């Protein structure tokens, strides 16, 4: 048996790279990222996928023997990356961009190399302390008192799901209560909240979409009226979800008023600030987000407002005990970990156990660049958005949504052409922009009509990129006009 074991050890030895091999892989990886950044400004922001290439990826052989690093990187560069959206591009104005900081990628790399078991304090007290420190930083930013806590999630959807689960546990909802339980949100609430409700087995809850004002913000007085009516009818109001930066319009719900209502009515108050939460870092954002500390739970996404690569969300809860109550479990094989619990662990407050050392990808850029650089970047994005909004407003045949509160607004083209089907014309314009791929814009439906969305949040979007967006828009409008 020993002989066989030795043979297997030798054969699998390639998994443990030598120092020379590591140096070679590192060199190739570094060269790849250098070239990627060097060519970024000339890379397309969008390219439609090529069905043949997708087939090639799907059929790619995973061979018994390994191949060289250059072959692998070449495959990624030529087949995988050039299709679809390029979220690293500063010309990405769709959905919610972030860009992806190089410093964060290096933090992530070191997290993977050291492979700390970040879910449990006993296993990696340093990683857990670092994660808790980052949560405390966010908690202070929100204005929460001592006793708040949370965890770093993979993104806003997971963080919202965790909050919904905690709220449900706190409300003590039984299966028999579900059809009478009521959630209050708006039709602008991100769909991940609906999905969270579904995953938590709460799709049969009653959902109230509270009417919105002219700036697409929830009308607080309507909210309270609806809650009172529901209570009078014997229903169980248990969750209010407000947004800081709705995905369509970047609208901010009246946080303080909603908080006061939630407290008066004894309902869990959750704020989805996945998009807009980090604007708390600047004075203007702080003013706009006044009252956020009245929430029981808040979601923020570092892969949006702090420009991290995808894979970073955060949930902060005013009373961490609520999260612990909803998630903590014990098991025989975990007994060593419970003996030493100086701090709460991510595994106590979230669905994850084995956990990537996620804190490092955030810690790295915050420490390396300093917070002030992030404040300047966020302020810059706010001004760039106003700059773009002003420019579009000056165009006669462009209809623009109200002045943006954050860095998102919508617009649509209303030219005087033979065809007056504006939805169709705007779809054509979108298709033309996508075909060209120099900039990327996503679209939405507002009150049943087709609108473009413009969101400025990539770390690489500056004045040049906004001017590039304007030029690309004009160029494509002219092209569509000439074809109609
Ligand atoms: C307001 C809001 N909430 C939640 C999410 C979901 O976050 P994620 O995509 O990180 O899961 C998004 C995503 O864009 C969002 O804009």
């Amino acid at each position: 048996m020993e002989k066989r074991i030795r043979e297997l050890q030798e054969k699998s030895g390639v998994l443990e790279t030598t120092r020379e091999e590591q140096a070679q892989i590192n060199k190739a990886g570094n060269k790849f990222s250098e070239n990627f950044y060097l060519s970024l400004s000339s890379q397309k922001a969008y390219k439609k996928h090529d069905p043949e290439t997708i087939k090639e990826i799907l059929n790619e052989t995973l061979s018994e023997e390994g191949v060289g690093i250059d072959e692998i990187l070449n495959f990624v560069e030529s087949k995988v990356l050039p299709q679809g959206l390029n979220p690293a591009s500063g010309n990405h104005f769709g959905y919610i961009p972030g860009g992806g900081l190089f410093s964060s990628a290096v933090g992530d790399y070191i997290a993977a190399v050291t492979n700390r078991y970040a879910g449990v304090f006993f296993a990696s007290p340093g990683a857990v302390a670092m994660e808790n420190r980052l949560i405390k930083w966010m908690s202070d930013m929100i204005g929460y008192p001592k006793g708040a806590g949370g965890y770093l999630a993979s993104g806003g959807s997971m963080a919202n799901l965790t909050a919904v689960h905690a709220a449900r546990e706190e409300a003590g909802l039984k299966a028999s209560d579900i059809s009478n339980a009521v959630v209050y949100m708006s039709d602008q609430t991100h769909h991940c909240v609906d999905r969270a409700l579904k995953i938590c087995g709460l799709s049969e809850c009653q959902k109230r979409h509270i009417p919105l004002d002219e700036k697409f913000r929830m009308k607080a007085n309507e909210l309270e009226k609806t809650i009172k009516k529901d209570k009078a009818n014997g229903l169980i109001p248990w969750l209010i979800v407000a947004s800081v930066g709705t995905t369509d319009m970047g609208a901010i719900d009246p946080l303080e008023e909603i908080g006061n209502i939630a407290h008066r009515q004894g309902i869990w108050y959750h704020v989805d600030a996945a998009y807009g939460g980090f604007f708390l870092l600047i004075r203007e954002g702080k003013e706009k987000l006044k009252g956020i500390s009245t929430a029981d739970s808040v979601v923020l996404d570092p892969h949006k407002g702090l420009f991290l690569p995808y894979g970073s969300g955060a949930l902060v809860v005013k009373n961490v005990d609520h999260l612990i109550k909803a998630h903590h479990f014990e098991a025989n094989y975990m007994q060593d970990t419970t003996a030493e619990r100086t701090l709460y662990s991510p595994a106590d407050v979230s669905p994850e156990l084995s956990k990537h050392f996620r804190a490092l990808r955030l810690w790295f850029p915050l420490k390396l660049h300093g917070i002030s650089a992030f404040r300047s970047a966020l302020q810059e994005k706010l001004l760039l958005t106003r700059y773009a909004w002003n420019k579009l407003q000056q165009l006669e045949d462009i209809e623009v949504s109200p002045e943006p509160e954050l860095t998102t607004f919508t617009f649509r083209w209303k030219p005087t052409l033979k065809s007056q089907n504006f939805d169709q014309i705007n779809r054509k314009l979108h298709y033309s922009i996508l075909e060209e791929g120099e900039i990327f814009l996503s679209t939405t439906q507002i009150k049943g009509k087709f609108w473009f969305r413009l969101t400025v949040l990539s770390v690489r979007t500056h004045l040049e990129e906004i001017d590039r967006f304007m030029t690309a828009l004009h160029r494509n409008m002219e092209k569509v006009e000439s074809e109609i």
Side-chain angles (χ1 to χ4, degrees), residues 95-96 154-158 160 188-193 195 243-247 272-276 299 301 303-304 310 312-313:
Y95 308 114
I96 312 281
S154 59
S157 301
M158 282 307 294
N160 275 299
Q188 295 292 303
T189 305
H190 195 272
H191 74 274
C192 74
V193 173
R195 189 162 55 185
S243 305
V244 170
T246 55
T247 312
D272 177 8
Y275 159 34
V299 163
D301 263 4
H303 66 200
K304 296 184 173 72
Y310 293 127
S312 276

Side-chain angles (χ1 to χ4, degrees), residues 33-329:
S33 64
E34 256 174 51
N35 288 341
F36 178 79
Y37 284 119
L38 273 175
S39 63
L40 195 48
S41 63
S42 59
Q43 283 172 31
K44 294 235 177 218
Y46 178 80
K47 188 165 184 288
K48 193 174 171 339
H49 80 271
D50 167 35
E52 284 310 310
T53 314
I54 294 297
K55 242 189 249 167
E56 248 182 90
I57 299 171
L58 289 171
N59 295 328
E60 175 68 6
T61 314
L62 295 168
S63 54
E64 285 296 322
E65 302 305 322
V67 298
I69 181 72
D70 290 336
E71 187 177 325
I72 297 167
L73 290 175
N74 194 20
F75 182 82
V76 172
E77 189 173 27
S78 61
K79 310 282 179 197
V80 181
L81 296 182
Q83 305 188 69
L85 175 59
N86 182 354
S89 166
N91 301 313
H92 166 30
F93 302 100
Y95 308 114
I96 312 281
L101 294 173
F102 173 71
S103 50
S104 177
V106 175
D108 228 6
Y109 166 72
I110 292 171
V113 167
T114 55
N115 199 25
R116 295 299 95 164
Y117 192 88
V120 174
F121 179 79
F122 165 77
S124 188
V128 171
M130 186 183 274
E131 176 158 339
N132 288 11
R133 173 67 190 101
L134 290 166
I135 291 294
K136 173 77 170 55
W137 175 64
M138 293 179 212
S139 167
D140 290 345
M141 204 185 293
I142 292 165
Y144 273 165
K146 217 165 159 247
Y151 84 108
L152 295 175
S154 59
S157 301
M158 282 307 294
N160 275 299
L161 171 63
T162 313
V164 166
H165 169 61
R168 175 214 163 116
E169 290 289 302
E170 201 44 34
L173 290 186
K174 307 264 180 311
S176 55
D177 295 327
I178 293 176
S179 59
N180 285 327
V182 194
V183 183
Y184 303 85
M185 49 169 96
S186 84
D187 67 2
Q188 295 292 303
T189 305
H190 195 272
H191 74 274
C192 74
V193 173
D194 292 287
R195 189 162 55 185
L197 290 165
K198 187 165 185 174
I199 295 170
C200 288
L202 298 167
S203 352
E204 286 165 23
C205 270
Q206 306 202 24
K207 289 180 199 161
R208 302 273 183 261
H209 286 159
I210 303 303
L212 303 171
D213 67 12
E214 70 297 342
K215 284 193 148 188
F216 292 81
R217 300 171 297 201
M218 218 190 266
K219 284 184 180 168
N221 59 338
E222 293 286 341
L223 170 68
E224 188 151 37
K225 258 197 266 167
T226 315
I227 294 170
K228 282 183 175 163
K229 196 167 149 207
D230 286 339
K231 278 192 173 172
N233 287 329
L235 299 177
I236 315 167
W238 68 281
L239 174 64
I240 301 171
V241 182
S243 305
V244 170
T246 55
T247 312
D248 269 346
M249 309 296 278
I252 302 172
D253 287 323
L255 301 177
E256 195 156 29
E257 277 178 82
I258 297 178
N260 292 338
I261 294 167
H263 291 166
R264 272 199 297 276
Q265 302 296 335
I267 304 172
W268 184 288
Y269 176 28
H270 175 64
V271 173
D272 177 8
Y275 159 34
F278 286 109
F279 284 95
L280 280 167
L281 282 171
I282 56 176
R283 206 180 59 227
E284 189 179 335
K286 241 187 174 148
E287 279 160 21
K288 289 186 168 171
L289 274 62
K290 194 165 164 275
I292 193 167
S293 62
T294 59
D296 293 293
S297 50
V298 178
V299 163
L300 307 99
D301 263 4
H303 66 200
K304 296 184 173 72
L306 294 179
F307 321 115
L308 261 57
Y310 293 127
S312 276
L315 170 65
V316 192
V317 172
K318 189 180 263 169
N319 180 351
V320 73
D321 291 341
H322 292 322
L323 269 190
I324 295 176
K325 220 167 88 190
H327 292 93
H328 177 70
F329 267 88

